[in-house]
Amino acid sequence: MNPSLHLLHGDKAVRAELERDLRRRYGADYDVCARPAAPDVLAALRRDADAGRPVAIVSATRARPAGAPSCSRPSTSCTRSPAGRS
């Protein structure tokens, strides 16, 4: 089972281009998943956690709000950084 690489971008054309580029570069080693909205990515991360699948990276188009949790893996605890950054 390859680790997953998740991409979040709301613009369909940009998302498709990024997904294509990521699949071309990393598709042999990672399962690339591109989603249009945060709830979609969170659901995919929960499925990965339930299946015991490692997550290599999650990339989003916007920064998290200050104080929002930062998770390194969906099945582990989250940490908070003072400025909301990891």
Side-chain angles (χ1 to χ4, degrees):
M1 174 184 324
N2 285 340
S4 61
L5 187 156
H6 294 274
L7 169 70
L8 168 61
H9 202 291
D11 184 290
K12 185 177 182 178
V14 173
R15 185 175 63 251
E17 184 176 345
L18 289 170
E19 182 177 19
R20 183 191 69 236
D21 291 348
L22 289 170
R23 283 185 192 281
R24 184 181 308 135
R25 173 65 177 92
Y26 300 107
D29 299 313
Y30 300 92
D31 292 332
V32 178
C33 305
R35 308 281 191 233
D40 301 327
V41 173
L42 292 173
L45 289 169
R46 285 186 190 102
R47 286 191 298 274
D48 284 350
D50 291 345
R53 170 181 283 202
V55 174
I57 189 169
V58 176
S59 178
T61 57
R62 289 199 232 176
R64 289 178 290 105
S70 168
C71 295
S72 59
R73 292 189 339 207
S75 59
T76 62
S77 62
C78 296
T79 60
R80 290 184 185 267
S81 58
R85 297 183 188 155
S86 303

